[in-house]
Amino acid sequence: IGQDITGRLAQEQEYSRLIDTANAPIFGVDRSGKVNVWNKCAAGVTLFSDAEVMGRELVQQFISEDYRASVQEVLDKALKGEETANFEFPIITKTGSKIQILLNATPRRDEFGKVMGVVGIGQDITGRIAQEQEYSRLIDTANAPIFGVDVRGKVNVWNKCAQSLTGYSSEDTMGHQLVNEFITEDFRSSVQEVLSKALKGLEDSNFAFPLVTKDGRRLEILLNATSRRDVDGHIIGVVGIGQDITARIAQEEEYSKLIDTANAPIFGVDIYGNVNVWNKCAANISGYS
């Protein structure tokens, strides 16, 4: 009793061709965890040819020891029919270096629907992670206070300059509500408004607000609030690059006090000719307040 499987074979061959020529690393294992899929991109990324990996244990031979248990768990779940998306792990290349892979693990089924293995479609995120680490290092060593919050308003960035200015370490602030715990009560609503706008993609620049230090002092900060996005462009938080203007404001207030109490008439105009300085002596002499 025969069965025409011409169409099925053609379909499987097309499936294999698509996998092999995909521009993403794709690999698969059978129920015993042995490699049975290894496309050209996986070979290019790891430098192992398919001949070198086929039939070998994926977890034990190509995954770094510290990730073996978690990778095995993902494979075991897939073998039970549970998919895992965006799982990150390192794979060891032929030269011994580690490549960071972001993986979607999917059960592979036969024509009867029975799970016969796992296929993983990956993405090499080594470069992205290196870039993120460099970004974090630049933020941490910048000579300006930089802090950030996630979409819930909880602190997830707090650089060394912010620590130095406020007296709060990153351990003191990470995971805490920025607005409710570190902003003076009279400015909480306006700071929250700036953060909420940035979370919608509306960035703000030169926004001045006070930040409370660990010893209770009030610092005046001039802030640029920028939306922080993931690789897909989705907003995941806000990062603020600040400037401590406490001394400048104190200097401006002292300047205004000296002008107002001078024993000579002092007045000033803006670029449109409108009066914006008129001290007490000018008021006394002219009779105009």
Side-chain angles (χ1 to χ4, degrees):
I1 298 173
Q3 181 183 358
D4 181 6
I5 58 169
T6 311
R8 195 185 82 194
L9 287 175
Q11 192 175 35
E12 288 175 356
Q13 287 168 351
E14 177 64 12
Y15 172 74
S16 295
R17 190 186 65 80
L18 288 172
I19 283 179
D20 202 42
T21 58
N23 61 353
I26 301 177
F27 46 85
V29 296
D30 59 21
R31 292 196 63 85
S32 59
K34 292 181 178 179
V35 177
N36 58 4
V37 176
W38 195 265
N39 76 341
K40 288 177 181 176
C41 188
V45 167
T46 65
L47 304 180
F48 285 110
S49 68
D50 59 349
E52 292 175 301
V53 298
M54 288 296 188
R56 295 172 67 181
E57 292 276 353
L58 175 70
V59 173
Q60 294 302 319
Q61 295 182 262
F62 301 103
I63 306 299
S64 59
E65 190 173 356
D66 51 331
Y67 270 80
R68 283 175 190 164
S70 55
V71 172
Q72 188 62 59
E73 184 181 355
V74 168
L75 296 180
D76 290 342
K77 281 184 178 179
L79 288 170
K80 293 175 182 175
E82 298 176 42
E83 298 183 359
T84 299
N86 297 326
F87 175 69
E88 192 177 312
F89 70 98
I91 195 164
I92 301 169
T93 70
K94 195 171 184 177
T95 60
S97 61
K98 291 181 182 179
I99 298 293
Q100 292 295 135
I101 299 292
L102 190 66
L103 185 79
N104 287 354
T106 306
R108 195 177 184 189
R109 301 176 186 272
D110 62 18
E111 64 267 33
F112 304 109
K114 184 179 178 182
V115 176
M116 53 187 260
V118 182
V119 64
I121 301 175
Q123 180 185 354
D124 179 5
I125 58 170
T126 312
R128 191 186 86 191
I129 287 178
Q131 192 175 37
E132 288 173 355
Q133 289 171 344
E134 176 65 11
Y135 172 74
S136 295
R137 189 187 66 80
L138 289 172
I139 282 179
D140 203 42
T141 57
N143 62 352
I146 301 177
F147 47 86
V149 295
D150 60 21
V151 293
R152 297 168 297 170
K154 292 185 176 182
V155 177
N156 57 7
V157 176
W158 194 265
N159 77 339
K160 288 178 181 176
C161 188
Q163 293 177 49
S164 177
L165 281 175
T166 65
Y168 287 109
S169 67
S170 58
E171 290 77 14
D172 292 329
T173 58
M174 289 294 189
H176 290 259
Q177 286 287 338
L178 175 69
V179 173
N180 291 332
E181 297 184 56
F182 302 103
I183 306 298
T184 57
E185 191 172 355
D186 52 331
F187 269 80
R188 282 175 190 165
S189 60
S190 57
V191 173
Q192 186 60 59
E193 184 181 355
V194 168
L195 296 180
S196 297
K197 281 183 178 179
L199 287 170
K200 294 175 183 175
L202 304 171
E203 299 178 351
D204 208 332
S205 60
N206 297 328
F207 174 71
F209 71 98
L211 195 64
V212 181
T213 67
K214 195 169 186 176
D215 59 8
R217 291 178 297 112
R218 174 173 164 145
L219 291 178
E220 297 294 330
I221 301 294
L222 190 65
L223 186 78
N224 286 354
T226 306
S227 309
R228 196 174 185 188
R229 300 175 185 268
D230 63 17
V231 289
D232 299 315
H234 302 128
I235 295 173
I236 58 172
V238 182
V239 64
I241 301 175
Q243 179 185 353
D244 180 9
I245 58 170
T246 311
R248 191 183 87 188
I249 287 179
Q251 191 175 38
E252 288 172 355
E253 289 172 347
E254 178 65 15
Y255 172 74
S256 295
K257 185 174 74 71
L258 288 172
I259 284 178
D260 203 43
T261 58
N263 60 357
I266 301 175
F267 53 86
V269 295
D270 60 22
I271 57 173
Y272 304 106
N274 296 320
V275 176
N276 58 6
V277 176
W278 193 264
N279 77 339
K280 288 177 181 176
C281 188
N284 290 335
I285 289 174
S286 66
Y288 291 108
S289 62

